[in-house]
Amino acid sequence: MNKFVYMFDEGNGSQKELLGGKGANLAEMTRIGLPVPFGFTISTNACNAYYDAGKTLPTEIEQQVLESLTKLEEKTGKTLGNPANPLLVSVRSGAVHSMPGMMDTVLNLGMNDETVVGMAKLTNNERFAYDSYRRFIQMFSDVVLKVDSFYFEQYLEEVREEKGYSSDPEMNAGDWKEVIKGYKEIVKKHADRTFPEDPKEQLFLSIRAVFDSWNNQRAIVYRKLHKIPGHLGTAVNIQSMVFGNMGNDSGTGVAFTRNPSTGENKLYGEYLINAQGEDVVAGIRTPQPIVTLQNEMPEVYEQFSRTCNLLEKHYQDMQDIEFTVESGKLFILQTRTGKRTAQAAITIAVELVNENIITKEEALLRVDPDQLNQLLHRRIDDSYTRTPLAKGLPASPGAAIGKVVFDADDAEKFAKEEQKVILVRPETTPDDIHGIVAAEATVTSRGGMTSHAAVVARGMGKACICGCESLKIDLAGKQFRVGDTVVNEGDIITIDGSTGEIFIGEIPMIEPELSEEFQILLAWADEVRKLGVRANADNPTDAKKAVEFGAGGIGLCRTEHMFMDATRIPIVQEMILAETYEDREIALSKLLPMQQEDFEGIFEAMQGHPVTIRLLDPPLHEFLPDKDELLVEVTKLQITDPDSDELQEKEQLLRKVRQLHEFNPMLGHRGCRLGMSYPEIYVMQAKAIFYAIAKVKEKGMTVKPEIMIPLVGHVNELKQMRQLVINAGERVKEETGVEFDYLIGTMIEVPRAALTADQIAEEADFFSFGTNDLTQTTFGYSRDDAEGKFLQSYIEHKVLPENPFASLDQQGVGKLVKAGVQLGRATKPNLKTGICGEHGGEKSSIQFCHDVGLDYVSCSPYRVPLARLAAAQATIKSEQKQLVN
Ligand code: ADP
Ligand code: MG
Ligand code: MG
């Protein structure tokens, strides 16, 4: 015979799969002697048996339920349905993973026209008995018979009005009796049956309703969202009732053993006197903070706080506990690991180690790296009451205050005058990049979470809201509207990129910082992790941030961003427009000192940590104006000012833009292919780097430069570019008389490079896997087109398990990374390897990087703390796995 039903004293906390989370913990608390109202749990297996039998309860299970009921009756001395001493129970669903809102609990089951009389007599409180009865009818009908609560509430409202009452406490026993009659009429009308008076029928109908609720729409959606498998099933807990609504020496409440928002080690919770469980959440009366219980019921409080300590020690984590006091006696009804903010998670983990309750390794596993984002951006003060003007997509977290501007150039202009601005655009394009850089934050009325503005802002750690469609932007009039509210250029707004909210005016903020506990936790992470963590940083400011957040170097410094600066773009264009080598050399010689200065700044900021600098990567047309816009300007000038120099210039520019036009820029003339065609560009960059090294070394500082050639597909490309760099290095050494060391390596970002990594390694001191491009080239997707057009639907329909640009596709792209590492190391056992795509800041990809034995990951400075923690978790998890095997 299969066992489907377990008394609370038969199970324990490790049986979550079988008894569900709630059931296992009720059993565990019973086992360690806590005051838990007795009961039994119908297992998740029973749920599956119910479905296997075509949604009927097998007699075997029915039998076991009845036997357990008898045991419960013996233990409590009460009998279900016995008017002289009725047993009342709650029916509570409880899946393996807590699924709030899947099925509502039924309380007071066992009440009927007869037992209510017994209850009234036993408690000497008629009003209490009838109030409980009418609550039961409403709950049961709602949850089990599917009669909407609305009908009951509407009717109750009518009765109250008729009697001239303003609230429920004014209702007396007689009034409740009348309501109960009316309630039963409602049931008859809206359910296709009368209200069941037989308590056993009530019980079995409730059990079936819980099993049915496993597959209701809410539950299915919730499971999908949280990736909970559907085959697990739910358990049902039948528990004898205790009453918090027996009078003023009774009550009910919920408490966390520590503050779930700050982590402070102090009981945190609330309770209501003379109330039943659901009243606390219903918000009819305002609950009292838990501390006042100390005065109201000192003994109960003492006992409760001791129980909380015990539970926390027992589960070795902060608990979320439900309790009820019946006539001065404390009962514990539920405990579970409490949900908490990132800050609380860190504080609690660190303090639990200091209290010798958990180990450092356990503490490291307790904090979810994804949560840390909350802490690394400026944010709105938690105590502020929010009234947003509009809401869009929370595209990049953090909050910002600034004056509204509608144009990237304006953003830059204002920023130069040290004014903080927020760039508001219908959408952004690469042309707006300087505006995004200058602004505190960006808001767009179109575009999604992966639109240009969003991707760029996240990369820079700046707040961003996208797709805020209620914003009606008038670019010409320099204003936007939301309904009747008009916001003009220069008006101050505050935005919260973590929620997508936009506010008028300035709102109080708090600065991000690594709290003391956070730094302690990260120091532990550093002790454990095998994987290095570097940052992607293109300028000294980002480099400093990276060092502050604990980066061990720069894994990707993109030199093209240095070309985008407003003062440099004309020189860059001059270089591109140059028709002869000599003309190009002139432009390049102007750029050289500028780049050199950038590198000096970065080297100094990095204080001797390695810096990987990538030579120019994007196609040249990215530095030129948009073709269509240019065409409009040229056409205008042809009409208004046909003889002007400006027209000539613009026509020349347009010719060049047309000449550089590519059918598929992603696969076009970019990366080292540029260096092959215009070696002078790479030579200039290499020299700028070397001069910077010489300069910084002369100041007595250490520099560890790593020069990276992008987009290599064939070893011959790297061979030539490497020689070019070496020659430049020799010349600078001669010129300056300074000796220096450096590495030359390559990005592995096209499949051919990964597949021929053994050959490429001959010419490389290091590999950096550019997993953004490697994902594009492996799938053959252009990211912008894919994310904008079909990727979402692919993920929804499970063609792909996840967005491969967010989480590394381990089976495909990962296979290439793995092959690249193995082939490369076969040639050069000490080859340094890392990744520098956005994946470097995502926890499952970091685990993968650890597993394939990369030396480091590199990510945005703001993700460095996350990566340090995730890298430590990867080490711990791998070690745990090895122990098991
Ligand atoms: P949820 O999972 O939605 O919290 P629960 O099953 O925990 O649902 O129950 C809802 C409320 O009813 C809680 O406040 C709980 O403490 C209370 N409750 C459940 N069972 C009993 C019982 N046997 N006696 C008294 N109160 C109960
Ligand atoms: Mg609960
Ligand atoms: Mg690339």
Side-chain angles (χ1 to χ4, degrees):
M1 194 191 75
N2 288 321
K3 187 167 169 67
F4 286 108
V5 185
Y6 297 78
M7 302 307 293
F8 284 176
D9 58 7
E10 288 180 305
N12 66 62
S14 71
Q15 293 172 306
K16 289 208 168 75
E17 295 269 331
L18 181 70
L19 305 176
K22 201 179 278 168
N25 283 337
L26 285 167
E28 183 71 12
M29 289 195 291
T30 306
R31 195 178 69 79
I32 61 175
L34 290 179
V36 175
F38 200 55
F40 54 88
T41 303
I42 307 167
S43 74
T44 55
N45 291 343
C47 179
N48 289 326
Y50 169 79
Y51 278 103
D52 289 345
K55 291 183 53 159
T56 49
L57 207 58
T59 34
E60 195 184 0
I61 296 176
E62 217 173 279
Q63 213 55 54
Q64 289 184 33
V65 168
L66 290 172
E67 282 162 22
S68 301
L69 180 64
T70 308
K71 284 186 202 154
L72 179 58
E73 288 172 336
E74 280 163 9
K75 183 108 172 186
T76 56
K78 300 176 182 172
T79 314
L80 196 69
N82 176 3
N85 193 9
L87 172 70
L88 300 184
V89 296
S90 62
V91 177
R92 319 171 67 184
S93 72
V96 179
H97 306 274
S98 129
M99 292 171 55
M102 182 176 82
M103 198 208 81
D104 300 303
T105 295
V106 179
L107 299 180
N108 307 338
L109 187 139
M111 296 207 83
N112 59 24
D113 289 349
E114 288 172 11
T115 52
V116 70
V117 180
M119 278 291 288
K121 255 193 224 144
L122 274 175
T123 58
N124 202 11
N125 189 340
E126 200 183 20
R127 187 189 178 281
F128 157 75
Y130 283 91
D131 181 21
S132 302
Y133 188 19
R134 68 91 197 177
R135 285 173 192 247
F136 169 56
I137 297 174
Q138 177 171 345
M139 257 189 183
F140 183 90
S141 305
D142 176 24
V143 174
V144 180
L145 302 178
K146 308 294 173 211
V147 181
D148 204 308
S149 279
F150 165 79
Y151 297 114
F152 299 100
E153 268 147 30
Q154 191 189 34
Y155 172 71
L156 180 55
E157 177 94 40
E158 279 167 25
V159 174
R160 266 199 315 250
E161 234 162 68
E162 198 185 287
K163 304 209 176 267
Y165 300 155
S166 61
S167 67
D168 285 354
E170 293 170 56
M171 304 275 286
N172 60 37
D175 299 331
W176 285 129
K177 283 184 196 171
E178 192 186 324
V179 167
I180 287 163
K181 272 210 198 93
Y183 272 13
K184 289 193 175 171
E185 287 305 313
I186 293 174
V187 174
K188 217 187 284 173
K189 188 164 161 214
H190 293 281
D192 43 14
R193 56 161 304 151
T194 54
F195 184 79
E197 293 277 334
D198 173 9
K200 286 207 174 111
E201 191 185 0
Q202 293 171 356
L203 181 66
F204 282 108
L205 283 173
S206 301
I207 293 170
R208 296 181 47 163
V210 174
F211 286 158
D212 288 340
S213 75
W214 177 250
N215 277 328
N216 70 23
Q217 210 47 41
R218 282 189 291 177
I220 290 170
V221 170
Y222 188 89
R223 281 202 293 273
K224 214 166 141 187
L225 207 65
H226 292 86
K227 298 184 180 147
I228 299 171
H231 68 263
L232 291 174
T234 180
V236 187
N237 302 290
I238 312 292
Q239 185 173 28
S240 55
M241 283 300 300
V242 285
F243 295 96
N245 55 339
M246 281 261 230
N248 285 336
D249 57 351
S250 302
T252 185
V254 182
F256 290 83
T257 55
R258 300 183 190 224
N259 187 316
S261 143
T262 64
E264 191 190 1
N265 187 2
K266 206 168 142 195
L267 263 190
Y268 175 97
E270 43 195 29
Y271 69 100
L272 269 178
I273 290 291
N274 198 7
Q276 259 194 331
E278 75 273 18
D279 296 342
V280 179
V281 267
I284 305 162
R285 283 192 280 154
T286 311
Q288 301 270 97
I290 200 86
V291 280
T292 64
L293 190 66
Q294 197 162 11
N295 304 327
E296 271 190 277
M297 299 181 182
E299 273 167 40
V300 170
Y301 181 84
E302 254 321 294
Q303 192 190 350
F304 181 61
S305 92
R306 251 183 294 123
T307 309
C308 286
N309 276 335
L310 190 144
L311 280 173
E312 201 183 79
K313 285 230 169 64
H314 190 75
Y315 286 97
Q316 305 185 333
D317 203 352
M318 185 260 270
Q319 297 292 298
D320 164 1
I321 299 168
E322 288 174 6
F323 68 96
T324 286
V325 181
E326 180 184 290
S327 308
K329 192 169 169 357
L330 174 73
F331 293 92
I332 306 294
L333 286 161
Q334 188 173 338
T335 191
R336 61 181 164 200
T337 302
K339 296 246 181 297
R340 62 203 79 183
T341 63
Q343 189 196 333
I346 292 168
T347 304
I348 291 170
V350 169
E351 291 189 354
L352 287 175
V353 173
N354 294 340
E355 293 161 27
N356 286 321
I357 296 175
I358 59 174
T359 63
K360 287 181 188 175
E361 278 75 17
E362 276 165 330
L364 287 166
L365 292 175
R366 288 283 171 87
V367 180
D368 182 354
D370 288 342
Q371 251 192 328
L372 298 182
N373 239 348
Q374 288 173 22
L375 297 179
L376 295 170
H377 296 273
R378 252 182 124 210
R379 60 185 203 278
I380 292 176
D381 195 335
D382 301 324
S383 61
Y384 172 78
T385 318
R386 292 162 177 251
T387 43
L389 169 71
K391 198 163 177 204
L393 300 169
S396 179
I401 303 172
K403 294 185 173 168
V404 174
V405 292
F406 293 93
D407 182 285
D409 294 336
D410 289 340
E412 204 173 50
K413 203 177 74 204
F414 277 93
K416 282 231 169 76
E417 296 162 11
E418 310 267 286
Q419 304 209 46
K420 294 186 185 312
V421 295
I422 293 178
L423 179 62
V424 179
R425 301 276 310 162
E427 62 204 349
T428 70
T429 69
D431 291 337
D432 296 320
I433 188 110
H434 58 295
I436 301 179
V437 171
E440 299 294 303
T442 303
V443 175
T444 71
S445 57
R446 287 200 289 264
M449 305 273 284
T450 58
S451 63
H452 176 264
V455 172
V456 172
R458 279 199 294 274
M460 297 196 278
K462 291 201 179 205
C464 177
I465 295 175
C466 285
C468 187
E469 286 170 10
S470 59
L471 247 56
K472 303 295 171 235
I473 302 177
D474 173 6
L475 286 179
K478 297 202 169 184
Q479 59 171 222
F480 73 76
R481 269 167 200 285
V482 179
D484 294 336
T485 312
V486 179
V487 177
N488 290 301
E489 183 185 67
D491 290 353
I492 289 185
I493 60 170
T494 301
I495 73 141
D496 184 346
S498 319
T499 60
E501 291 166 315
I502 301 171
F503 308 85
I504 296 274
E506 192 170 334
I507 279 165
M509 299 265 216
I510 33 189
E511 281 295 326
E513 56 189 20
L514 301 185
S515 67
E516 201 179 312
E517 287 90 1
F518 198 173
Q519 305 215 28
I520 293 173
L521 190 79
L522 288 176
W524 293 343
D526 295 344
E527 285 168 22
V528 168
R529 67 185 163 92
K530 299 265 178 0
L531 207 52
V533 175
R534 295 192 184 184
N536 298 348
D538 306 333
N539 54 58
T541 318
D542 284 358
K544 281 194 197 109
K545 248 290 127 0
V547 172
E548 182 191 323
F549 284 160
I554 290 180
L556 177 62
C557 172
R558 288 164 293 194
T559 50
E560 59 269 21
H561 285 186
M562 304 171 180
F563 283 16
M564 298 276 189
D565 184 286
T567 54
R568 300 182 188 180
I569 257 291
I571 311 174
V572 175
Q573 292 184 351
E574 188 185 320
M575 170 196 80
I576 296 170
L577 292 175
E579 299 292 347
T580 64
Y581 173 81
E582 286 74 24
D583 285 350
R584 193 154 37 246
E585 277 285 286
I586 292 173
L588 284 169
S589 64
K590 291 186 207 163
L591 283 173
L592 191 145
M594 298 175 174
Q595 288 243 296
Q596 182 186 336
E597 200 184 308
D598 295 327
F599 295 134
E600 284 172 27
I602 290 172
F603 289 149
E604 287 179 18
M606 289 314 289
Q607 305 164 10
H609 291 301
V611 179
T612 308
I613 300 166
R614 178 177 73 185
L615 300 188
L616 193 65
D617 182 54
L620 293 180
H621 57 75
E622 281 199 11
F623 302 99
L624 298 181
D626 179 71
K627 191 173 75 185
D628 296 333
E629 278 172 27
L630 208 51
L631 193 59
V632 172
E633 284 175 38
V634 166
T635 315
K636 265 195 204 152
L637 283 172
Q638 279 168 346
I639 298 163
T640 58
D641 204 357
D643 299 322
S644 65
D645 290 346
E646 197 189 350
L647 176 59
Q648 275 208 347
E649 273 169 32
K650 293 252 149 111
E651 279 175 338
Q652 194 202 356
L653 201 56
L654 183 60
R655 264 196 304 279
K656 195 72 190 184
V657 169
R658 284 194 166 130
Q659 192 188 326
L660 289 177
H661 171 80
E662 289 180 312
F663 294 103
N664 196 336
M666 188 187 96
L667 302 175
H669 200 178
R670 53 174 289 221
C672 65
R673 301 160 202 168
L674 280 178
M676 297 290 286
S677 309
Y678 310 104
E680 55 277 19
I681 298 181
Y682 274 19
V683 170
M684 180 280 284
Q685 292 198 296
K687 281 165 95 179
I689 295 169
F690 292 132
Y691 284 132
I693 299 172
K695 193 77 171 278
V696 173
K697 278 199 88 174
E698 276 177 342
K699 288 190 194 168
M701 289 184 244
T702 333
V703 202
K704 280 201 196 134
E706 303 176 345
I707 297 171
M708 182 154 76
I709 312 295
L711 219 70
V712 165
H714 195 288
V715 62
N716 288 342
E717 291 170 318
L718 184 58
K719 201 169 177 175
Q720 282 196 34
M721 293 301 104
R722 181 185 177 89
Q723 199 51 53
L724 202 77
V725 173
I726 292 175
N727 294 344
E730 290 312 308
R731 276 204 309 251
V732 174
K733 279 182 190 171
E734 243 168 63
E735 250 178 71
T736 60
V738 182
E739 268 303 312
F740 46 78
D741 296 320
Y742 57 91
L743 303 180
I744 302 177
T746 180
M747 291 190 76
I748 304 287
E749 48 189 340
V750 298
R752 195 183 186 284
L755 296 170
T756 59
D758 47 347
Q759 295 167 25
I760 291 179
E762 302 274 4
E763 302 291 331
D765 305 321
F766 65 89
F767 283 174
S768 176
F769 292 88
T771 48
N772 287 357
D773 271 346
L774 191 57
T775 301
Q776 296 202 86
T777 52
T778 301
F779 276 94
Y781 294 168
S782 113
R783 178 172 184 173
D784 290 341
D785 293 318
E787 287 186 336
K789 300 207 167 75
F790 59 86
L791 205 52
Q792 213 41 47
S793 132
Y794 265 36
I795 296 159
E796 249 157 53
H797 296 101
K798 302 214 166 105
V799 178
L800 292 179
E802 250 157 325
N803 180 347
F805 293 104
S807 178
L808 187 80
D809 160 46
Q810 301 186 7
Q811 282 156 24
V813 180
K815 209 179 211 173
L816 284 171
V817 173
K818 209 167 163 179
V821 174
Q822 283 169 354
L823 288 169
R825 288 201 178 139
T827 303
K828 262 194 197 148
N830 292 327
L831 186 79
K832 207 189 235 189
T833 55
I835 79 162
C836 63
E838 275 178 61
H839 302 104
E842 192 273 329
K843 63 181 178 188
S844 72
S845 312
I846 293 174
Q847 171 86 50
F848 174 81
C849 292
H850 171 94
D851 293 343
V852 299
L854 292 189
D855 295 305
Y856 68 86
V857 296
S858 187
C859 55
S860 120
Y862 292 89
R863 303 203 133 230
V864 164
L866 176 166
R868 288 162 74 191
L869 177 61
Q873 292 186 348
T875 311
I876 298 168
K877 283 181 188 160
S878 306
E879 278 165 7
Q880 285 176 348
K881 230 188 258 159
Q882 274 165 10
L883 277 182
V884 173
N885 292 339

